[in-house]
Amino acid sequence: YRMAEHTALFNPHPSITRHGLDNGRTCWVVDDVLLQPERLRQYAIEQAAQFNMAPFNAYPGLEFPMPAWVSEQLRDFFNSHIRGFFNARRTLKMNSRMAMVTLPPEQLQARQWICHRDSAWVEPAHCIAASVLYLFDNPNLGGTDFYAPTRPMPEIELFVHDASTMLNDNFAAKYSIPKNYFQGAPDYFERIGRVPAKFNRMIFYNGRIFHCGNIHAPESMSPNPALGRLTLNGFFTCTRKAV
């Protein structure tokens, strides 16, 4: 299962399923997205020492940036099969990384207790799409949950801001949020959908939708790519089609 550079990774004839969310938005699901998914997982195992904690974002675990040729194949797959679903015209930039959730709940920061968006640095004129490819066999390690705010956006923006700036105890006291992986906060968000994890399944969604991993068994997380919640995550910033 050695993966040579420029090995063709993606299924050229994908089966794409529309997964509707409760607020009318859509997540697109592609099963059997890789031609030989074991090769990519084996590559992660071989590169295990290159995974590091992410200093620049709130991901609760280890990350490993993908080499350019892997990102380019993911970008080409997105452009060919997915981009049209997002009313996007041109892909301006993208990046991809492998990731594994590893932190125990007691080590989480407040901003890691809540759902999030992938659009913080994307200007409103552009659209942002995101993807997650599940590269693990055990579905109990968790898929992806999607949420919609239940309060006016100024209150939600303050909630998100406080999670990033307040001390953990102060945030927990102010908002009565459990110090754990997010399983919902009815006063602020309602869950609008869930996509279960499945080996070699990839999902694509609007990065402005609140979402998070469904990490309901944090004790099962592992830093070993052969055993852990290994994913390939992609982010695509695009121009919008003229209306």
Side-chain angles (χ1 to χ4, degrees):
Y1 286 138
R2 303 291 296 182
M3 189 173 77
E5 187 166 336
H6 304 306
T7 299
L9 299 175
F10 288 89
N11 185 342
H13 305 291
S15 174
I16 303 169
T17 304
R18 180 185 181 279
H19 184 91
L21 305 177
D22 290 349
N23 65 345
R25 307 293 277 278
T26 297
C27 174
W28 302 96
V29 179
V30 188
D31 284 319
D32 302 316
V33 68
L34 297 181
L35 295 170
Q36 294 176 296
E38 297 83 2
R39 284 189 172 187
L40 199 55
R41 182 161 61 180
Q42 182 60 35
Y43 177 69
I45 293 169
E46 293 167 3
Q47 302 296 324
Q50 307 303 316
F51 281 76
N52 291 295
M53 294 300 295
F56 302 116
N57 62 45
Y59 189 80
L62 303 172
E63 296 184 348
F64 170 53
M66 286 289 89
W69 69 271
V70 175
S71 287
E72 288 164 6
Q73 288 200 35
L74 174 54
R75 180 198 64 207
D76 291 347
F77 181 86
F78 173 80
N79 290 346
S80 296
H81 303 289
I82 304 294
R83 186 172 62 187
F85 296 134
F86 289 92
N87 202 35
R89 183 169 63 88
R90 189 161 54 92
T91 304
L92 298 175
K93 62 180 180 178
M94 68 84 60
N95 64 79
S96 68
R97 65 184 188 225
M98 283 187 173
M100 289 182 289
V101 173
T102 57
L103 288 182
E106 61 271 16
Q107 292 183 20
L108 295 176
Q109 305 167 29
R111 62 181 181 160
Q112 295 167 328
W113 302 340
I114 67 172
C115 53
H116 65 279
R117 294 172 289 188
D118 297 322
S119 57
W121 312 112
V122 179
E123 56 186 84
H126 295 149
C127 53
I128 172 81
S131 63
V132 179
L133 166 58
Y134 308 112
L135 286 168
F136 52 91
D137 295 304
N138 180 1
N140 290 326
L141 296 182
T144 303
D145 287 348
F146 296 93
Y147 291 89
T150 57
R151 294 198 179 203
M153 279 312 295
E155 293 186 42
I156 296 298
E157 300 285 0
L158 178 61
F159 175 86
V160 172
H161 178 264
D162 284 351
S164 296
T165 56
M166 294 178 73
L167 296 173
N168 284 4
D169 288 346
N170 295 351
F171 180 77
K174 179 176 179 179
Y175 291 103
S176 300
I177 296 293
K179 299 177 181 182
N180 205 339
Y181 285 97
F182 192 69
Q183 296 294 328
D187 288 346
Y188 293 90
F189 294 95
E190 61 178 347
R191 197 178 84 206
I192 56 173
R194 168 177 292 170
V195 180
K198 182 181 179 183
F199 182 62
N200 204 20
R201 165 178 287 172
M202 195 167 206
I203 65 172
F204 293 85
Y205 54 88
N206 184 325
R208 299 188 195 276
I209 299 175
F210 282 96
H211 61 279
C212 62
N214 171 29
I215 311 300
H216 57 87
E219 68 281 357
S220 299
M221 300 299 138
S222 169
N224 180 346
L227 302 173
R229 189 182 184 275
L230 178 67
T231 60
L232 172 66
N233 302 57
F235 305 92
F236 313 84
T237 303
C238 305
T239 57
R240 300 181 191 273
K241 286 183 181 176
V243 179

